[in-house]
Amino acid sequence: MTTREHTACPVHADFDPLSPTFLADPFAVLAALPRETPVFYAPSIDYYVVTRYADIEAVFLDHETYSAAITQLPLVPLVPEAVQILRAGGITSQPSMVSLDPPAHTRLRSPTVRAFTPRRVAQMAPRIRATVDQLLDAINPAAPFDLVATLTFPLPTTIIFSFLGIPEHDWPQLKAWCGHRASLVWGRPTSTEQVQHTENMAAYRGYLRAFVAHKAQERDDTLTSALLAIHDDNPEALTQEEIASILFGLTFAGHETTNYLIGNVVRRLLEAPTRWDAVVADPALIPGAVDETLRYDPAVPVWRRVTTRPVTLGGVDVPAGAKLFLWLAAASRDAAVFPEPETFDLRRTDASKTLAFGKGIHYCLGAALGKLEAQLALDALTHRFPRLRLVEGQTLSFHPNISFRGPQALWVQATQETGGEARRASVETV
Ligand code: HEM
């Protein structure tokens, strides 16, 4: 890693979060970085990389100095044809609440919080359990199976789409659109790929607009209908287009994240089978296992902000308009906050201090739902497959993007199947 001075800010010329080396093991890249440069400029992406917990927390807590406007901006500049397709599809550079600043952010977040009640999340538990059971029933435990294809990918899609009331026959299409979105916004697509992705994005947004218009005529007990009820109270305060924008956020955030969270949890437990065995023996460790995975190997390792004025961050002068790469995964390995940060510790008591869900006004709205899904999935897996092990010799691969990380396939084998209803009780404690 070469370092040279550049307007008082260190520059790491060969830091590239989309390089094969980084994608395969970002923690090795982190470990090789000089500790005395907690904020540095990365020309490969034209971003200032922020690695310390305290600095990232300060950024999240000051939304006036650090705008969310670039949160959903494609990482690489788009070709004119792709820009035109997005514009024609009505997709702006700040297409949903996560990239809006107040007051526009508050206008969308407040009604979403009103509709996204803890009661509504808690009501999803039986549906989550039933879906996990159904997916696990379909597995042949006598042969190795890919846990991503069989469980971690289909579970969160089923949950979020049913939570929003999207008809089941449209789920495969929505899943595909979300894949295009991840590559367009957080990856480095070629010009041809950009056009393909933007066409899909426009179709995705158009679908949601039509879906909201349809749901307005046919109410049910889903989150979408709850948002429409708020619209009915005062159509000016929350328009149908804004509801489509909220759904644009939730349909994506609700599954790419949780898919990877569950994959990371199982990977990290099976990597050292004594961890898995400890959870099998004591299911009360499940919530801690999920929290520790969110710290040690977060599903959203990077988030972004842009400065609205010149600032000094981590001892470095940063100009106005600087794009910040908030490396949440690095903050979780910050020894100033987490003792022995490189150790995966199932019994760590402070893991939930992590910034894995952000902090401040944009704090993740789905944190409770995502964690619940991961906990219930782990509970069922450890119950059904107490001797689960990773298939030896597999090489994990990761989608080439900066913000969503988990194995794209995770081959496991259930070396011996056992049953026992006693473990079911643990679910209630999760
Ligand atoms: C389970 C793993 C998940 C992780 C690691 C995660 C992570 C994050 C992060 C880092 C942010 C940005 C916070 C900020 O800017 O301060 C965020 C925002 C958000 N997340 Fe999640 N998320 C997860 C699951 C979910 C789920 C399941 C949903 C929806 C059901 C969801 C919905 C949202 C929404 C709507 C926002 C934007 C909130 C706002 O701008 O006010 N997330 N999430």
Side-chain angles (χ1 to χ4, degrees):
M1 196 67 62
T2 57
T3 305
R4 66 184 167 83
E5 289 302 309
H6 171 80
T7 61
C9 178
V11 177
H12 290 301
D14 35 10
F15 179 89
D16 179 3
L18 288 164
S19 67
T21 320
F22 189 98
L23 291 170
D25 191 356
F27 301 105
V29 174
L30 175 67
L33 284 171
R35 279 169 204 269
E36 63 279 9
T37 58
V39 175
F40 61 88
Y41 179 72
S44 70
I45 46 172
D46 184 24
Y47 269 72
Y48 289 77
V49 180
V50 188
T51 60
R52 274 197 314 218
Y53 184 103
D55 296 330
I56 297 179
E57 185 182 40
V59 169
F60 276 138
L61 291 176
D62 181 356
H63 60 84
E64 285 177 4
T65 306
Y66 304 99
S67 162
I70 60 160
T71 296
Q72 295 181 85
L73 204 64
L75 186 69
V76 293
L78 296 186
V79 295
E81 192 184 346
V83 172
Q84 181 50 36
I85 295 168
L86 285 183
R87 205 171 284 150
I91 301 174
T92 64
S93 55
Q94 293 163 267
S96 66
M97 81 176 89
V98 76
S99 48
L100 292 170
D101 296 319
H105 171 258
T106 321
R107 194 178 145 92
L108 293 191
R109 174 133 178 154
S110 303
T112 313
V113 169
R114 267 173 71 196
F116 207 126
T117 56
R119 187 186 61 89
R120 200 175 286 278
V121 172
Q123 279 173 349
M124 290 306 284
R127 176 83 199 233
I128 299 170
R129 281 196 198 94
T131 308
V132 171
D133 283 343
Q134 201 184 351
L135 292 168
L136 296 185
D137 285 347
I139 289 172
N140 168 14
F145 55 94
D146 172 13
L147 199 71
V148 174
T150 50
L151 177 73
T152 76
F153 187 73
L155 174 66
T157 50
T158 302
I159 297 311
I160 190 66
F161 296 155
S162 46
F163 189 63
L164 302 176
I166 291 171
E168 198 166 339
H169 54 82
D170 293 333
W171 295 359
Q173 177 62 77
L174 267 165
K175 286 183 202 173
W177 282 330
C178 290
H180 285 285
R181 187 168 170 188
S183 300
L184 180 77
V185 177
W186 291 278
R188 191 181 278 149
T190 63
S191 337
T192 315
E193 287 165 345
Q194 288 180 18
V195 171
Q196 203 192 2
H197 294 326
T198 46
E199 279 167 348
N200 277 279
M201 293 270 282
Y204 176 10
R205 192 63 187 236
Y207 170 89
L208 291 175
R209 239 177 244 127
F211 171 69
V212 173
H214 171 75
K215 267 282 176 275
Q217 310 306 320
E218 248 182 49
R219 305 303 173 94
D220 51 25
D221 187 29
T222 62
L223 185 97
T224 307
S225 291
L227 289 168
L228 280 161
I230 295 172
H231 164 78
D232 293 343
D233 282 350
N234 182 355
E236 294 304 309
L238 181 68
T239 66
Q240 287 199 13
E241 180 62 21
E242 287 174 322
I243 296 177
S245 156
I246 291 168
L247 299 189
F248 194 60
L250 292 174
T251 46
F252 183 85
H255 71 86
E256 292 285 345
T257 52
T258 313
N259 166 25
Y260 292 143
L261 168 60
I262 303 170
N264 291 342
V265 173
V266 176
R267 173 194 175 189
R268 295 308 182 178
L269 292 179
L270 290 180
E271 216 167 50
T274 50
R275 294 178 192 153
W276 180 265
D277 296 345
V279 174
V280 169
D282 182 5
L285 292 174
I286 287 174
V290 172
D291 284 349
E292 177 64 343
T293 304
L294 280 160
R295 183 196 70 81
Y296 185 82
D297 189 5
V300 180
V302 173
W303 213 239
R304 292 182 280 164
R305 289 289 189 267
V306 59
T307 53
T308 58
R309 60 178 179 86
V311 282
T312 303
L313 184 62
V316 163
D317 291 335
V318 176
K323 294 180 286 180
L324 306 183
F325 178 103
L326 306 176
W327 197 354
L328 309 180
S332 292
R333 302 284 182 112
D334 187 338
V337 180
F338 301 103
E340 295 189 45
E342 304 304 327
T343 305
F344 183 99
D345 181 357
L346 275 174
R347 295 175 176 79
R348 191 182 284 275
T349 52
D350 58 1
S352 59
K353 260 170 40 189
T354 165
L355 299 172
F357 293 108
K359 193 158 187 166
I361 62 165
H362 288 279
Y363 182 78
C364 176
L365 272 174
L369 180 61
K371 280 171 60 160
L372 182 66
E373 288 180 55
Q375 291 169 1
L376 293 176
L378 186 56
D379 187 81
L381 274 173
T382 49
H383 170 67
R384 285 211 195 196
F385 306 123
R387 291 170 168 269
L388 198 73
R389 291 294 180 259
L390 289 176
V391 169
E392 299 274 326
Q394 63 182 308
T395 305
L396 300 183
S397 67
F398 300 88
H399 186 271
N401 79 86
I402 57 163
S403 280
F404 304 96
R405 188 169 195 276
Q408 288 189 288
L410 190 67
W411 284 89
V412 293
Q413 56 196 28
T415 50
Q416 184 190 318
E417 203 190 350
T418 61
E421 285 308 303
R423 286 285 322 279
R424 268 288 162 230
S426 66
V427 176
E428 315 309 333
T429 65
V430 169

